Amino acid sequence: MSQGRGMHPTLRTRATDLFGVRYPIVQTGMGYVSDVRLTTATANAGGLGILAAGLLSYDELVEAVEQIQAGTDAPFGVNIRADQPDVVKRIDLLISAGVKVASFALAPKQELIARCKDAGLVVVPSIGARRHAEKVAAWGADAVIVQGGEGGGHTGGVPTSLLLPQVVDAVDIPVIGAGGFFDGRGLVAALAYGAEGVAMGTRFLLTSDSPVQPSVKDVYLSKTVNDTVLTLQVDGVPQRVLRAGTIDELERTSAAGRLLRAVRNAFAFQKLSGTPWGDMVREGLAMRKAHDLTWSQVVMAANAPMLYRSALLEGRTDLGVMATGQVVGLIDDVPSVAELIDRIIDEATRTLDRLGVPAPVASTPAGHKEE
């Protein structure tokens, strides 16, 4: 760490012990963003890196896991979509490969959680409401990531400052706060609420280790906290995205026009990914049931993969969609992941020292060494 300062012992939490990492910082599994390089960089820097596997084929997932394990000996996670037709096969891959954490954007069923836990996988669903946290905790989840309304991508309407303490009071498992975090002060604030760490998406997207095009990162850096919008027009489910690119057009387009766009994108995504049409239909049916969507919203969901890919990887900010948290307006640089995590831990330590927070009386958790 910079300035020769050791990490404050308070930053060793139940989450660092559970995940087997040095720091209570999680890099979330963002589609087209949380790739092999970003996940590996986070793991090597002492945080929990999570590979986004929702848009990867099974064979691509096998290759990605092998590449991460070739680049780090540190624990990492993989984000799995619980509604994918081959979800059990994917979980079995994580088990056989010795992956540490199975992360879920949609709450997995109780039997899937049991399958993971029986094999030693740490199960961490992401939730946006207290009742969801209570449900997955009762089913055996090891921890939960709690995202408040200011977070990016699919999100709810309750701010992190209200949702986080509500969930902490409702469950006994470690709670990771997400939505609005980007620095050491936020990490300390999350700990004050009773969380065991923070998870960040937008902040990791804006690092030199993320695969997002530099020109796209410049667009993010130009935005303020007021330059995001919560929209239904991407896939029928509320998403927070940048007010840029194709969003204004989607908001103005008629329902028939949006459906036509969605159908075109569905064909494009199927051709690009090679996903069998039967699997895509089954995923659509599962999404409709899980979110109580109309058929038109299910078709609209075909928009998302191509719209995100166009902007983030191809640099077409005029055509694509860019998910973001409101915190984008507070970020003004693109450090490496190692620089970012070092900065956060250093600032959190200085903040705890300034507040006069004493070191915990308990002994150092197993597996950790003094800095």
Side-chain angles (χ1 to χ4, degrees):
M1 291 176 60
S2 62
Q3 302 176 357
R5 178 183 286 109
M7 184 180 77
H8 196 288
T10 297
L11 299 177
R12 293 187 176 114
T13 70
R14 287 194 296 166
T16 57
D17 199 32
L18 177 66
F19 302 146
V21 298
R22 295 195 300 275
Y23 306 129
I25 297 173
V26 177
Q27 162 250 307
T28 58
M30 300 167 280
Y32 292 129
V33 178
S34 301
D35 63 354
V36 168
R37 179 182 175 189
L38 182 60
T39 304
T40 303
T42 304
N44 283 330
L48 178 68
I50 298 181
L51 172 73
L55 296 174
L56 300 180
S57 69
Y58 178 81
D59 290 340
E60 288 171 335
L61 175 57
V62 171
E63 182 179 2
V65 169
E66 290 175 349
Q67 289 176 343
I68 294 171
Q69 291 179 326
T72 184
D73 293 327
F76 65 94
V78 174
N79 183 256
I80 300 291
R81 281 179 49 195
D83 60 344
Q84 287 185 297
D86 63 348
V87 63
V88 172
K89 183 179 180 181
R90 289 169 182 254
I91 290 299
D92 288 346
L93 167 63
L94 304 192
I95 293 169
S96 63
V99 172
K100 181 71 174 182
V101 174
S103 161
F104 294 91
L106 297 175
K109 294 181 179 179
Q110 186 172 6
E111 55 266 29
L112 193 59
I113 293 178
R115 188 183 191 92
C116 294
K117 289 177 63 65
D118 288 346
L121 270 174
V122 175
V123 179
V124 187
S126 295
I127 59 93
R130 181 183 67 183
R131 68 182 185 279
H132 298 152
E134 292 172 333
K135 179 174 70 174
V136 296
W139 286 353
D142 296 290
V144 287
I145 295 175
V146 177
Q147 178 170 303
E150 56 268 65
H154 293 116
T155 195
V158 180
T160 305
S161 59
L162 302 179
L163 181 60
L164 188 54
Q166 187 183 46
V167 173
V168 166
D169 290 344
V171 300
D172 294 328
I173 59 178
V175 173
I176 310 298
F181 297 107
F182 71 106
D183 64 2
R185 296 170 300 175
L187 173 55
V188 172
L191 297 179
Y193 278 123
E196 307 284 346
V198 295
M200 302 182 298
T202 305
R203 179 62 276 196
F204 278 104
L205 182 153
L206 291 171
T207 62
S208 60
D209 293 295
S210 102
V212 175
Q213 291 284 329
S215 61
V216 178
K217 292 175 183 176
D218 288 340
V219 172
Y220 275 88
L221 293 174
S222 72
K223 299 301 181 179
T224 73
V225 293
N226 296 315
D227 289 328
T228 72
V229 61
L230 197 61
T231 182
L232 296 172
Q233 302 310 327
V234 177
D235 62 3
V237 182
Q239 288 200 57
R240 186 173 297 283
V241 299
L242 281 185
R243 195 184 297 276
T246 194
I247 284 300
D248 287 338
E249 180 185 348
L250 282 174
E251 293 281 349
R252 293 193 306 266
T253 303
S254 67
R258 289 195 298 270
L259 287 175
L260 180 60
R261 177 195 292 264
V263 170
R264 288 199 304 265
N265 282 332
F267 276 94
F269 177 68
Q270 193 280 330
K271 183 177 180 180
L272 177 70
S273 66
T275 303
W277 280 110
D279 287 355
M280 292 181 66
V281 170
R282 282 190 290 272
E283 288 181 29
L285 291 172
M287 182 178 292
R288 181 174 187 265
K289 181 179 180 180
H291 296 288
D292 194 27
L293 302 181
T294 65
W295 281 112
S296 62
Q297 288 175 318
V298 171
V299 177
M300 284 168 55
N303 277 318
M306 294 306 297
L307 290 175
Y308 281 125
R309 180 183 177 87
S310 294
L312 299 175
L313 299 189
E314 298 171 3
R316 293 302 305 272
T317 58
D318 57 328
L319 296 177
V321 168
M322 295 165 278
T324 186
Q326 286 181 294
V327 73
V328 68
L330 301 178
I331 298 173
D332 59 8
D333 65 348
V334 184
S336 70
V337 164
E339 291 168 340
L340 172 64
I341 290 181
D342 181 79
R343 179 197 306 173
I344 291 173
I345 296 302
D346 185 67
E347 183 179 29
T349 294
R350 287 187 284 109
T351 300
L352 289 165
D353 288 342
R354 174 172 57 82
L355 294 173
V357 177
V361 175
S363 61
T364 301
H368 289 290
K369 296 180 180 180
E370 293 296 336
E371 300 289 332

